[in-house]
Amino acid sequence: MYESLKGKKLLIIGSAIETEIVNTAKEMGIYTIVADNIVDRKIARAKDAADEAWDISFFETDEIVKKCRERNVNGVFAGYGEFRVIAAARIAKTLGVPYYATEEQIELTRNKGLFKEECEKYGISVPKSYYVGGKISESIKESIVYPVLVKPTDRSGRIGISVCSSRVELDKAIELALDKSESKTYLVEQYIVGTEFSAVYTFVNGKISLSCLNAKYITDDQLVDNFLCACAAAPAFFLDRYKEEIDDKLKDFLCGIGAENGMATFQGIVADEQIYVFEMGFRVNGNNDWKVIEKCNGINFVKMMISHSLTGDMADDLSKDNPYFNKYYCTMPFYAHGGVISKLEFSKVLEYGWAEVSTLHAGVGTEILEDGTARQKVVSILIEADNYEQLLSRIEEVQKNIVVESKDGSNLLFKKFDTNKLVRSI
């Protein structure tokens, strides 16, 4: 299927957590080049995995394009993070090679205010917005019904997000959101209680398919307020309800913004009264759901998107795609509290056969900042099981055998995930 790609050169934007993408491309016989301005190999681990590395900021479009032409690069790919994807889209356009998304599409989907407006056109329920902008008036503040969520309009990875139950908390949250926002704009919206989800869609030549639906469970360990996912389980227990209530609307949304080839992830909440959507990523998501989807359905959207970057063709179809998996899966990110990692051990987990590394986010020597964002991830483990009972026991077993310590031997890991959360959901 991908034989014609062997020997082609692929530029991969970003080096911090792109190792899995690099390894996948290399398995396809592709020559890999990684580019960004991170020179510390403790952070830029993907550069060591790649065939070639450039210490150039990916926003230096002209410099990157010049080097691509010198090295006869055939395509550009970016995975995690909107900034990487925007940079890749600019480089690909200037270089004259295929790319699955335009800057306009990416901006529409990354700007939370614009995204919510677009959702409403297709009848997709979104949390009520009280304000979107840079300077909120006193009258609007007085009209707010708590609790509310405050977040930058243009950031991902849980950066700058706060839940507020009072006016005092609101003012502090606005200050944080403004500090983290590049455009200095933020969103104040209704805070909804329910089970979070991520819905992964793959599209080929305009045909759109739901590939995976995760139920997401938030960590209880919060020295700093966060909304970090401790466990993403698939297939979600509410898959039937999701398919009935919202699946077609989200497919219409994707068609409406001109999605032709690639993938996207929608984030939302299933509440008692209805299903809400609050965010979208027009990019490979950090959960690396392509690994689960490939195990169940035999399609791999990362390989397909790499093929598209090099040839303009996804090289596979969606005939086997099906979100109703025949096994149970969960991806468990393990987070560390603030400190420098001196010991990282998970080798016993890999001996089981039913667990594997989904993403390695950090290593020995990595400094973790207590900022309540996804940057506190150390390693994510993918677990496979035949049934829910087995999944629960395997989660417990994995949690016993992950070690992250500081130099003085102190445990840096967040407290263990409570598997009763899963039990209550089935």
Side-chain angles (χ1 to χ4, degrees):
M1 184 185 305
Y2 302 109
E3 289 78 9
S4 64
L5 304 181
K6 290 181 179 179
K8 289 186 179 291
K9 293 184 178 180
L10 180 70
L11 175 67
I12 298 168
I13 299 301
S15 66
I17 56 174
E18 279 73 16
T19 304
E20 295 299 318
I21 291 174
V22 171
N23 290 340
T24 298
K26 291 177 76 171
E27 288 169 11
M28 299 165 72
I30 295 165
Y31 185 89
T32 56
I33 304 170
V34 169
D36 66 18
N37 60 356
I38 301 174
V39 296
D40 184 352
R41 293 303 199 263
K42 290 189 182 72
I43 301 172
R45 291 177 300 279
K47 288 183 175 178
D48 286 335
D51 297 296
E52 189 174 333
W54 301 345
D55 294 331
I56 307 172
S57 168
F58 46 67
F59 286 118
E60 297 294 335
T61 303
D62 292 340
E63 186 177 353
I64 291 277
V65 169
K66 179 181 177 182
K67 200 164 181 66
C68 284
R69 288 177 175 150
E70 290 172 353
R71 299 290 293 123
N72 296 314
V73 168
N74 303 107
V76 184
F77 187 80
Y80 321 102
E82 280 88 355
F83 295 142
R84 292 172 172 86
V85 173
I86 289 170
R90 289 174 183 167
I91 293 165
K93 183 178 180 180
T94 307
L95 192 59
V97 297
Y99 200 69
Y100 72 94
T102 65
E103 280 195 64
E104 292 75 20
Q105 288 172 325
I106 297 165
E107 179 58 27
L108 174 65
T109 56
R110 73 183 287 265
N111 184 300
K112 294 175 176 61
L114 294 176
F115 171 68
K116 290 179 74 171
E117 290 177 8
E118 194 70 16
C119 282
E120 290 171 344
K121 294 179 184 178
Y122 296 91
I124 299 165
S125 296
V126 295
K128 176 183 177 180
S129 291
Y130 289 98
Y131 181 74
V132 182
K135 187 175 182 180
I136 190 170
S137 68
E138 289 299 315
S139 61
I140 293 176
K141 285 184 179 181
E142 292 298 328
S143 71
I144 289 173
V145 178
Y146 296 96
V148 293
L149 199 66
V150 179
K151 53 190 176 183
T153 61
D154 53 4
R155 297 303 300 268
S156 59
R158 309 287 175 159
I159 295 171
I161 296 180
S162 307
V163 174
C164 310
S165 300
S166 68
R167 172 67 180 273
V168 173
E169 292 178 0
L170 175 68
D171 290 338
K172 290 180 180 178
I174 289 173
E175 185 177 336
L176 174 64
L178 279 171
D179 179 63
K180 300 300 181 182
S181 171
E182 289 226 331
S183 62
K184 300 305 175 187
T185 56
Y186 57 90
L187 173 69
V188 181
E189 68 180 14
Q190 171 190 13
Y191 177 64
I192 297 168
V193 177
T195 303
E196 285 201 27
F197 69 83
S198 63
V200 181
Y201 287 84
T202 308
F203 20 101
V204 177
N205 297 327
K207 181 180 179 182
I208 298 168
S209 175
L210 175 63
S211 300
C212 178
L213 184 68
N214 294 300
K216 300 179 69 176
Y217 302 89
I218 306 305
T219 174
D220 293 321
D221 194 335
Q222 299 187 13
L223 290 183
V224 177
D225 287 343
N226 67 64
F227 300 89
L228 299 175
C229 174
C231 177
F237 65 93
F238 44 81
L239 177 54
D240 286 339
R241 179 184 171 189
Y242 178 95
K243 289 278 288 182
E244 180 180 347
E245 293 185 22
I246 198 172
D247 181 46
D248 286 340
K249 294 177 181 179
L250 290 174
K251 287 176 179 176
D252 288 343
F253 175 101
L254 289 168
C255 286
I257 67 169
E260 287 286 327
N261 294 287
M263 63 80 60
T265 304
F266 291 94
Q267 307 284 339
I269 294 178
V270 176
D272 289 339
E273 68 280 9
Q274 59 190 357
I275 298 176
Y276 298 87
V277 173
F278 57 77
E279 195 167 303
M280 174 184 170
F282 204 15
R283 56 179 171 78
V284 177
N285 62 325
N287 204 45
N288 279 350
D289 291 306
W290 47 277
K291 295 190 174 187
V292 173
I293 295 165
E294 185 174 36
K295 286 176 182 293
C296 294
N297 298 332
I299 72 166
N300 183 319
F301 62 69
V302 166
K303 290 181 179 179
M304 295 162 74
M305 292 171 71
I306 287 173
S307 174
H308 184 271
S309 294
L310 293 168
T311 68
D313 184 354
M314 294 280 276
D316 200 355
D317 60 41
L318 299 170
S319 58
K320 297 173 289 186
D321 202 25
N322 184 359
Y324 290 91
F325 301 155
N326 57 8
K327 290 193 175 185
Y328 293 86
Y329 295 88
C330 76
T331 302
M332 296 197 67
F334 288 83
Y335 303 89
H337 288 298
V340 177
I341 298 173
S342 181
K343 182 177 181 181
L344 171 59
E345 180 60 57
F346 51 82
S347 57
K348 186 174 180 180
V349 170
L350 306 184
E351 296 173 3
Y352 295 135
W354 41 259
E356 64 183 76
V357 173
S358 176
T359 310
L360 183 61
H361 304 268
V364 171
T366 300
E367 182 178 8
I368 304 295
L369 301 178
E370 193 81 45
D371 61 2
T373 75
R375 291 177 292 207
Q376 289 185 243
K377 285 183 187 177
V378 177
V379 62
S380 295
I381 302 294
L382 172 59
I383 301 169
E384 179 183 284
D386 295 321
N387 52 59
Y388 251 109
E389 291 71 25
Q390 189 179 70
L391 182 65
L392 299 180
S393 66
R394 289 181 173 180
I395 289 172
E396 296 286 6
E397 191 65 24
V398 166
Q399 292 191 113
K400 291 177 187 175
N401 291 288
I402 303 284
V403 177
V404 182
E405 293 179 350
S406 62
K407 190 174 181 178
D408 64 3
S410 299
N411 173 47
L412 292 176
L413 282 171
F414 280 26
K415 68 181 182 182
K416 291 181 178 180
F417 172 68
D418 180 6
T419 54
N420 285 323
K421 289 186 175 182
L422 280 173
V423 173
R424 287 194 294 268
S425 298
I426 59 176

